[in-house]
């Protein structure tokens, strides 16, 4: 169960360049396409004529044409035309609020009336020439909450990512978690350590020495419904760590948009935004490749964990201090669902 | 749900040349084989000894020998022998009425007592030297009723088969549907149009000009339980269309035997019978190859449609004029099922 | 349903050399690994921290380290340490009695208190320089009881293994079955026959003529929970058959440890122990290869039989004289399950 009255990343602009895209989000089968004027649109992936998926069709003059018998579906979910038919009485299908912003397509799977584009999170690094961004997407067979747990407890880096970003000092530094309204923040700092391979490469990518002690930080920020943005970086030791001037550090933001497909699967949009050498495309590509490999290491673990939890549905899990970020994030999610349900039942309830 | 007291195409003679064939039809697991004198036989695919599939065995002297322990099964479903055993008291398994006719093996999955070989449809083009036939079979993961809908509404050709037999004029010509007893006929004609690529090739295959206006027709005939035969063709315009003399036209019969496997899958026997140049085997092969490609274009659409309908089981579909053939065909099927059920409950009911 | 208070073969020593092994046995998800001093250990494959499979971790200093966040699990199912945590109050997971003996790892999936290593069957041919052993393992999608049936009725050799060990004389020789306490023995002898190909090769492997009449025997011994050991061999005719002196025969023991995974799948550990030319490793390899091919011939039959039985769950199977071994073996299994259930309910019940 996840909030439905919320903005989720649905896909990338590239995914709908050549035609419509069918994708299930929060158990809703949705087709995304570019409607009139190229504006992105989203409706149920179900042709009201005979139930064919509209995503097998094509876009013509801003309407989505069903690939089975040619029904023309408008961006509002109303049939606009069909060869040889009067369509005025045709049943509508659900249209979803959808926005293109920051290089992502965002969708609101719940109550359209409640949709408000201003609720899309502000991404200061996006569309900003001082920053560069690279990323990708994985389709993962586990519930979104397991990925949130994963990202709010980076202790796992020492084990799952031992050869790249993991190092023993991570688990020796206890994290601190605070809840700030709807946001959950888990913070960990390590001082005077040697940088692990990924960060050595990042220092070198910023023309900094990589063989000297550094201060390292990880600041994980969960925000509803299921987003996690993580400030990560290293600075040459003794220059202020997170607050060190730019010439002493390599830092970036790990971007994680975790979009539920079903209760036990999700679309994982991952990436990294950095504000050093932003015009170096080769560096962007190298970082994306490295991050893609690292993040793929989580897949087997998370999917196996999901199968285990389905096998043992009644077993309690431990909630240690390192799990506090995930635990608090789940509480925020549960509160959102409860508020949503109450709102749906109306004021009388 | 489909009628069970009816003849379905089960397989082709080739399928049982080298040994028995196991195939599920109307949810019945059946093994087909050549019994005494090469006559085709069909019994449950279940050895009464230990439940092994008899289709993993072999045929010896007109009996089917179980490949596990050698039980010999007769064409009547009675065990005829077993090494070292007295088989008189062995339980029988169900034997199915089965006939070889017109180059197909036909099976009657329901009540044997009601089986009547004269109910097998008459195929005038089969075993007829004036005609040639070529075809194939696809195993499709959707209910047979969706394939019937598909074939009784050829409007889809414009979209699904745009590069071969589709053309805009199809959807501009409204079809007419009539019900004639158990038969449902949907007819569409187009006059003075240019032939689409498949029909241009057919005209050329009949040594006719392909770059002149033609009259085109499609006459879809559904007959119970789930057969659809479609008269299709083009004639040089102005010579009478469907009734034009042979020297002005290229016409054929699209053959569709749609055999339910389960409620959401079927065996699709497709082919084309033509009465021009019947001895030109290369032409037969070319037409079969082209038809095979065209009919494979329906697969993704139909299987996706089935998944959508299972996801939204309660949603009503539109029944437009173009759907009338499929709608009427489903009514005939439902009537047959109802009559069958009433007959099974006996006169008292 | 299978007995749980019993020793099953879980895996081979090689399977846990390089790291832990996750394997489901009797519906229990278990991880096997080498603990302190290299002694084999087995615990639930579930990390009490967040439910990750411990089998994705690694062994360090005799404890199993979870590959997700580093929880250290001891051989007793108690967490021994975790970075930055006090683990004293952590919940334990189930530890399974496990023994390494005769070249196999044995596990007791049921009540630990009832486990007694002396109940592991004695294998006189193992760890014995007069004998050689070679074998393998197959993962088969059918219930263990179908494999026991298969091995207690070797009539199937004539059909399933016609080209190697099958011969018509098998089905002409009626087997005799006796129940001896918990053991079920099915015996068949054939006199003055020609050896089939596999046994011709075995005679030659023992430097004996293969083109002379032989006496052949098969003595299948079922013992609980699900083990089948089969004495098989041929002797030059007229020298006493099974009791012939070694210089006239080639004989061996077919080893079948059949370990349930779920109710409809099992791990099949097969092999052959022989006491002629025991130091001839090339012969051992040749026999293993031949046996591996022969035993793979059963797979399709058994898995198809399982699917058939699931399709027709209420249909009775025949219990012929040839099935007596399997029938009696199932009775022993059922008695064991009943006794186990009664014991679990306690003396008051």
């Amino acid at each position: 169960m996840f909030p439905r009255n919320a903005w989720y990343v649905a896909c990338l602009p590239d995914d709908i360049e050549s035609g419509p895209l069918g994708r299930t989000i929060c158990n809703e089968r949705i087709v995304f396409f570019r409607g009139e004027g190229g504006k992105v649109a989203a409706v149920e992936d179900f042709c009201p004529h005979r139930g064919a998926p509209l995503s097998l069709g094509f876009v013509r003059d801003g309407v989505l044409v069903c690939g089975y018998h040619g029904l023309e579906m408008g961006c509002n979910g109303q049939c606009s035309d069909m060869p040889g038919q009067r369509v005025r009485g045709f049943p509508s299908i659900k249209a979803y609020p959808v926005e293109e912003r920051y290089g992502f397509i965002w969708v609101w799977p719940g109550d359209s009336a409640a949709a408000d584009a201003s609720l899309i999170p502000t991404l200061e690094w996006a569309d900003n020439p001082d920053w560069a961004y690279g990323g990708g997407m994985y389709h993962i067979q586990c519930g979104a909450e397991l990925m949130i747990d994963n990202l709010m407890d980076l202790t796992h880096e020492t084990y799952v990512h031992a050869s790249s970003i993991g190092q023993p000092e991570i688990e020796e530094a206890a994290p601190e978690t605070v809840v700030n309204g709807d946001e959950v923040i888990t913070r960990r700092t390590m001082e005077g350590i040697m940088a692990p391979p990924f960060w050595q490469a990042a220092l070198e990518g910023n023309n900094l020495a990589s063989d000297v002690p550094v201060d390292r930080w990880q600041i994980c920020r969960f925000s509803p419904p299921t987003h996690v943005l993580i400030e990560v970086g290293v600075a040459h030791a003794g220059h202020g760590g997170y607050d060190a001037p730019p010439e002493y550090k390599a830092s970036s933001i790990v971007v994680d948009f975790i979009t539920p497909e079903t209760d036990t699967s999700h679309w994982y949009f991952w990436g990294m935004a950095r504000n050093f050498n932003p015009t170096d495309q080769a560096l962007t590509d190298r970082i994306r490749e490295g991050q893609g490999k690292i993040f793929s290491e989580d897949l087997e673990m998370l999917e196996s964990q999901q199968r285990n939890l389905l096998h043992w549905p009644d077993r309690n899990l431990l909630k240690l201090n390192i799990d506090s970020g995930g635990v608090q994030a789940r509480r925020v999610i549960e509160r959102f669902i409860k508020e949503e349900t109450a709102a749906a039942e109306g004021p009388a309830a």
Side-chain angles (χ1 to χ4, degrees), chain A:
Chain A
M1 276 282 289
F2 293 96
R4 296 164 57 82
N5 286 346
W7 291 106
Y8 290 95
V9 170
C11 60
L12 303 181
D14 271 0
D15 296 329
I16 55 173
E17 277 326 295
S18 62
L21 170 76
R23 179 161 286 171
T24 295
I25 291 177
C26 293
N27 293 306
E28 305 267 318
R29 296 193 168 202
I30 306 177
V31 54
F32 297 87
F33 64 102
R34 292 207 175 276
E36 222 171 320
K39 191 173 173 332
V40 67
V43 298
E44 284 182 305
D45 196 7
F46 184 94
C47 178
H49 175 215
R50 303 300 296 171
L54 292 165
S55 55
L56 294 179
F58 57 94
V59 176
R60 185 174 57 205
D61 299 335
V63 298
L64 180 57
V65 182
C66 179
Y68 201 0
H69 303 92
L71 180 143
E72 294 182 14
M73 176 57 61
C75 303
N76 56 359
Q78 291 182 0
C79 178
S80 56
D81 200 1
M82 185 170 174
Q85 307 294 334
R86 291 185 206 151
V87 302
R88 191 180 303 194
F90 279 23
S92 293
I93 56 174
K94 185 175 175 184
Y96 296 88
V98 62
E99 295 286 335
E100 183 169 4
R101 191 176 294 181
Y102 304 133
F104 299 100
I105 310 294
W106 305 77
V107 70
W108 180 278
D111 175 18
S112 299
D116 177 354
S118 73
L119 297 175
I120 294 176
T122 301
L123 306 181
E124 289 168 3
W125 44 266
D127 308 325
N128 182 334
D130 294 337
W131 291 74
Y133 179 78
M137 195 271 280
Y138 291 146
H139 186 197
I140 305 186
Q141 299 300 315
C142 78
E145 74 281 6
L146 298 186
M147 181 56 90
I148 295 171
D149 290 345
N150 175 282
L151 292 162
M152 294 299 286
D153 175 14
L154 298 182
T155 311
H156 79 272
E157 292 185 357
T158 307
Y159 295 90
V160 180
H161 313 303
S163 66
S164 54
I165 51 175
Q167 60 185 152
E169 290 87 348
I170 293 176
E171 59 191 20
E172 292 162 6
E176 281 174 23
T177 295
V178 296
V179 180
N180 188 0
D182 295 338
E183 194 181 38
V184 179
I185 305 165
T186 291
R187 186 187 310 258
R188 172 187 273 126
T189 56
M190 296 150 269
E191 298 189 354
I193 63 171
M194 296 308 292
F198 180 89
W199 284 112
Q200 288 181 16
L203 286 166
E204 290 158 16
N206 199 17
N207 302 313
L208 287 167
S210 64
D211 56 353
V212 298
V214 296
D215 299 333
R216 182 177 177 187
W217 61 91
Q218 301 170 324
I219 305 169
C220 312
R221 300 177 189 276
F222 164 85
S223 62
T226 51
H227 309 324
V228 179
L229 299 180
I230 312 181
E231 290 184 77
V232 290
V234 293
H236 282 177
H239 291 280
Y242 177 77
D243 297 313
E247 60 267 31
Y248 293 112
K249 69 185 177 190
S251 68
S252 53
I253 299 173
V254 175
V255 176
D256 306 287
F257 295 121
I258 303 157
T259 302
E261 181 193 35
T262 68
D263 288 352
T264 56
S265 62
H266 69 273
W267 311 100
Y268 179 33
F269 296 89
W270 54 265
M272 188 169 275
R274 76 176 190 282
N275 63 351
F276 57 90
N277 280 350
T279 59
D280 184 345
Q281 181 64 41
L283 179 60
T284 302
D285 294 344
R286 218 155 56 231
I287 290 176
R288 175 171 38 210
E289 191 186 356
Q291 190 187 12
K293 277 185 193 160
I294 293 171
F295 283 30
S296 74
E297 294 171 340
D298 294 294
L299 297 194
E300 186 190 4
M301 181 62 75
L302 290 173
E303 297 187 344
S304 300
Q305 182 191 17
Q306 177 70 74
R307 286 192 294 271
N308 252 6
L309 296 177
L310 290 171
H311 183 76
W312 278 292
D314 299 326
R315 202 164 278 199
N316 288 322
L317 302 181
L318 286 175
K319 294 171 183 171
L320 308 177
N321 62 327
I322 56 173
D323 301 309
S324 184
V327 168
Q328 296 297 341
R330 290 186 186 213
R331 284 195 193 147
V332 172
I333 291 173
E334 278 158 26
R335 177 161 54 78
F336 264 67
I337 294 172
K338 194 177 281 182
E339 288 169 6
E340 200 172 287
T341 309
E345 285 169 352

